[in-house]
Every structure is written in structure tokens, then in C-alpha cells.
Amino acid sequence: MEASALFITLHSRIQNTVSNGPGQRYAIWVQGCTLACEGCFNADTHSLKGARFPIDELADDIIATPTIEGVTISGGEPFQQMPALAHLVAAIRKRSSLSILIFTGFTREELLCISGADEVLSQIDVLIAGRFRQDLRVARGLVGSANKVIHFLSNRYTPGDLDSVPQSEIIIASDGTVTVTGINPLELRS
Ligand code: SF4
């Protein structure tokens, strides 16, 4: 494995969330995206500069997290960090039975032009694909805008499983940190 695949540039992570995919999940948001969707809900993730995190250490933490049934990888744009994404997905798949769901701004057809993406797709359960379109915003069932396409790449989940995911969630950590997340996160007012 080449050296660049040993680290992934992360924006943030949550060890247990119920609003970023079916069931309790570990969610990560990678740092860096050049796709520039108008009205992007996560503009802080666009810069390509961020904290580089050892992938094996991240995989260890994911696999050691109790009660989760899967991992959600979002961003930023996960497929703009190949081969780091491939390394992470392979480590999770090899060492656990956790489900894997990925959000991407690319269409599936575009991904087939990215070296290594087909191998990633062969190892995950759900891909939610396509640019965010502000004029088509729906923000439910894990779909940000109506043009997004959900690809079920295994038989692990059904459309009903995704429809039942809460649209928003407020997580209060033991240190008092408040995180608001989900496909339609609530706005906190002071
Ligand atoms: S692909 Fe995602 S992170 Fe990138 S600009 Fe579009 S909505 Fe934002």
C-alpha cells in the first residue's frame, strides 16, 4: 500500500449517530471537495486542507465501538481521497461485519472513471450518489435533493430502512459539546 493511503483527511466524526443511516452508526465526514454544489450544506468541508488521520487507527476505533451496526462515510467528497477511501473500506470489510454506506457527489457513472472506485463499490452496502441540487431539495430519507440516486449494492437494506432514518438529531457529549446532525438538521436558536 502506498504511503498516501495510510492517512485520510478528516473533517469530523461521530462515534454513535442514528440520523446518518440505518440503526446506530459511526459516521465520518472527510475533508475536501471540489464539486461546488450551489447551496451545499457542508461548505466547511470544501477546503482540501485538514487534519490527516491514520486510517488503521480510525478503523480500529470504528471496529471497537460497541452497539453500532455500520459506518457512514460522507464529506466533503470521499472519492476524492482515493486510495485512502479504498484502504479504509477494505479494512472495515476485512475485519468486521459492519455495514458501509457512502454519500458522494459523483454519479455512479462518474465513479466508474475513478481508479479503484469499482472495488470500493463492490464492498459497500449503500451508495447515495449525485450532486446536491438546491432547487430540488427534499432533505428526508437520507436524500438531500430529489436528483440523488440511492444504489443498494447488497441485500442488507431496503428503501424502507432508509425512509425510517430520523431527519435530524442532537447529540450532547459527556463534556457538554452539542452536535446537530442529520439530512435536515435542526437550527438551534439562542
Ligand atoms: S458534493 Fe457534497 S460536500 Fe461537495 S459541494 Fe456537493 S453537497 Fe457539498
Side-chain angles (χ1 to χ4, degrees), residues 36-162:
C37 305
E38 187 177 345
C40 170
F41 51 90
N42 219 353
D44 288 349
T45 66
H46 292 182
S47 169
L48 300 179
K49 295 179 180 174
R52 282 161 52 81
F53 203 92
I55 294 172
D56 288 337
E57 197 175 309
L58 179 60
D60 288 345
D61 192 52
I62 290 169
I63 292 163
T65 301
T67 75
I68 59 170
E69 70 173 62
V71 184
T72 294
I73 303 172
S74 187
E77 177 45 61
F79 285 91
Q80 288 185 329
Q81 287 201 49
M82 297 288 285
L85 176 66
H87 188 160
L88 177 63
V89 166
I92 296 166
R93 180 55 70 233
K94 182 178 179 183
R95 297 171 51 199
S96 78
S97 59
L98 294 170
S99 64
I100 304 175
L101 182 155
I102 299 181
F103 288 93
T104 178
F106 290 114
T107 64
R108 188 173 182 179
E109 292 68 29
E110 289 173 325
L111 290 181
L112 295 180
C113 299
I114 297 176
S115 177
D118 54 346
E119 178 65 18
V120 171
L121 298 184
S122 74
Q123 298 180 81
I124 70 172
D125 299 285
V126 180
L127 178 78
I128 301 179
R131 307 290 193 278
F132 173 69
R133 286 268 309 269
Q134 192 170 20
D135 57 325
L136 299 177
R137 184 178 187 275
V138 290
R140 62 175 178 271
L142 295 181
V143 171
S145 56
N147 61 300
K148 292 266 190 179
V149 178
I150 301 174
H151 300 280
F152 293 94
L153 303 176
S154 75
N155 58 10
R156 188 144 175 177
Y157 293 119
T158 66
D161 294 325
L162 271 57

